Amino acid sequence: MENIRVIVQGLGAMGSGMAKMLLDKEGFDLVGVVVRRPKMAGKDIGEVLGREQLGVKISNDITTEIKEQKPDLVLQASTSFTKDAFPKIKEVIEQGVNVISIAEEMAYPHVRETELAKQMDEIAKDNGVTVLGTGVNPGFVLDTLILTLTGGCIDVDSIKASRVNDLSPFGESVMKTQGVGTTVEQFNKGLKEGSIVGHVGFPESINMVADALGLELDSVEETREPIISETYRETEHVKVEPGMVAGCNHIGKGIKDGKEVIVLEHPQQIHPHKEGIDTGDYITINGTPGVNMSISPEIPGGVGTIATAVNMIPHVIEASSGVVSMKDLPIPRAIMGDIRKIMGR
């Protein structure tokens, strides 16, 4: 039986995590790692990851790596937006290789980039490969998990779900996009200028859930409000005095006939426990029957994204060609045995 051959493109926190997970799972071969930084080229990936030498050298050239290593799939971890991910995906799928991207907008790319999604789909089908965008959110908590829970319902009247998490472990770039450490005036200015964005992925998750359930929405609306701290909070990258912004409360709403049928909330802030707030993932489905789910603390964002992406590899390899979403594929599950036996390779 042949191992599944994978190249990881991007070696930040997510790319490194996926590479380590592949090395720890039976039946996968990490055959290449591609990064943009020239100074990384030629280094052994094992040493970079803090392990023994593996004989796999880091490269700056994805095309050459694909030709030499002949992978089954490329895991991409380098951007959040479809327009930025498109050239990288195109370069891979034109060579007949499947792609899983953790770019948030790629979870349901036609929502914001209709033409690019159409082009991607056509190229993938012409080359007999599959493209999936996924992660912990969007990809799992506020879409796939919601859909799975509706499987026990006769009818669904409305859905409300929230993901309450702690931003403290994240770096400087995340603090900036969430507005952490700004004044309220600076926060509002950042929203207008686009430097503060909150969560990326609500239109994708809301439309994915609606389409899967057969709900025809009239619109999707989003609001972003500053979470103003009443206490002093500090991380390695930012200090927040009382009265300053500790995070962003981002809400997305799917509207039908004037009614909010899908409401997703994602209040993200540093050290929420400072003000008695527990983190967690919460889903409430109003229907027949009603469903209430609570996970506390929340599924960790970084680990959850790494796991979801790698766990979807066998489903993507076995899927029909084209651009697909999580609603089109079997539910993700952990890989605990030899992936070759699980897939029957």
Side-chain angles (χ1 to χ4, degrees):
M1 295 185 290
E2 296 182 355
N3 285 2
I4 295 176
R5 299 172 64 82
V6 182
I7 288 176
V8 172
Q9 189 172 18
L11 202 60
M14 297 300 97
S16 297
M18 291 189 289
K20 290 176 182 177
M21 183 172 171
L22 289 167
L23 292 172
D24 292 336
K25 296 295 179 179
E26 190 175 359
F28 287 108
D29 281 338
L30 177 62
V31 297
V33 174
V34 178
V35 301
R36 289 182 299 175
R37 291 167 288 177
K39 66 179 182 180
M40 296 287 290
K43 293 185 177 181
D44 187 277
I45 185 57
E47 290 184 327
V48 172
L49 295 177
R51 304 192 177 192
E52 62 183 17
Q53 286 198 8
L54 300 173
V56 178
K57 304 297 183 182
I58 295 174
S59 170
N60 300 137
D61 187 346
I62 186 67
T63 298
T64 299
E65 282 295 285
I66 289 174
K67 289 180 179 178
E68 292 181 353
Q69 302 300 335
K70 296 179 173 53
D72 297 294
L73 183 139
V74 172
L75 282 168
Q76 293 188 335
S78 57
T79 183
S80 293
F81 308 105
T82 298
K83 64 181 179 181
D84 297 327
F86 176 75
K88 298 180 178 68
I89 293 172
K90 181 174 180 288
E91 189 174 10
V92 174
I93 61 179
E94 283 182 334
Q95 297 187 76
V97 178
N98 301 292
V99 170
I100 293 178
S101 168
I102 63 169
E104 289 93 331
E105 287 186 357
M106 277 299 300
Y108 220 44
H110 66 278
V111 172
R112 301 194 218 214
E113 302 288 350
T114 305
E115 185 56 37
L116 287 182
K118 182 180 178 181
Q119 289 182 45
M120 251 189 293
D121 187 58
E122 291 174 349
I123 296 169
K125 288 177 178 175
D126 287 345
N127 288 276
V129 294
T130 305
V131 179
L132 172 70
T134 194
V136 75
N137 186 43
F140 186 63
V141 176
L142 294 185
D143 33 51
T144 301
L145 190 53
I146 291 173
L147 290 174
T148 302
L149 292 175
T150 67
C153 298
I154 295 173
D155 294 299
V156 174
D157 298 320
S158 64
I159 296 167
K160 182 176 181 179
S162 62
R163 178 165 168 79
V164 183
N165 70 319
D166 185 356
L167 287 176
S168 302
F170 291 88
E172 185 177 357
S173 62
V174 171
M175 299 302 163
K176 290 180 178 179
T177 60
Q178 298 295 327
V180 180
T182 63
T183 64
V184 174
E185 293 75 16
Q186 290 169 335
F187 182 94
N188 291 329
K189 182 181 179 182
L191 284 180
K192 292 179 181 179
E193 295 175 347
S195 59
I196 295 175
V197 298
H199 170 63
V200 178
F202 273 152
E204 288 73 21
S205 292
I206 290 170
N207 280 285
M208 188 193 307
V209 170
D211 289 349
L213 296 179
L215 296 173
E216 296 182 4
L217 299 177
D218 297 323
S219 63
V220 173
E221 302 174 359
E222 295 181 82
T223 60
R224 301 169 182 84
E225 299 291 341
I227 298 174
I228 302 171
S229 184
E230 297 181 3
T231 61
Y232 177 77
R233 314 186 200 186
E234 181 179 348
T235 76
E236 180 183 353
H237 301 283
V238 67
K239 296 179 180 179
V240 176
E241 300 285 349
M244 295 178 69
V245 176
C248 177
N249 184 23
H250 193 164
I251 301 174
K253 300 176 181 180
I255 311 296
K256 180 176 176 60
D257 299 329
K259 178 184 177 184
E260 298 175 357
V261 293
I262 302 173
V263 177
L264 305 182
E265 300 179 345
H266 200 1
Q268 303 187 77
Q269 60 186 300
I270 63 168
H271 300 309
H273 67 278
K274 290 275 190 177
E275 297 190 14
I277 298 172
D278 294 326
T279 64
D281 296 314
Y282 310 98
I283 297 173
T284 299
I285 299 169
N286 298 306
T288 309
V291 177
N292 288 280
M293 185 218 72
S294 174
I295 300 173
S296 186
E298 83 282 11
I299 298 172
V303 175
T305 291
I306 291 164
T308 302
V310 173
N311 288 334
M312 290 304 295
I313 290 175
H315 300 321
V316 168
I317 290 175
E318 295 180 333
S320 300
S321 60
V323 175
V324 298
S325 70
M326 292 292 283
K327 73 177 179 59
D328 305 315
L329 301 177
I331 60 171
R333 57 256 195 181
I335 298 169
M336 300 304 297
D338 188 330
I339 191 59
R340 298 169 298 179
K341 294 181 180 179
I342 294 172
M343 294 178 66
R345 284 170 74 97

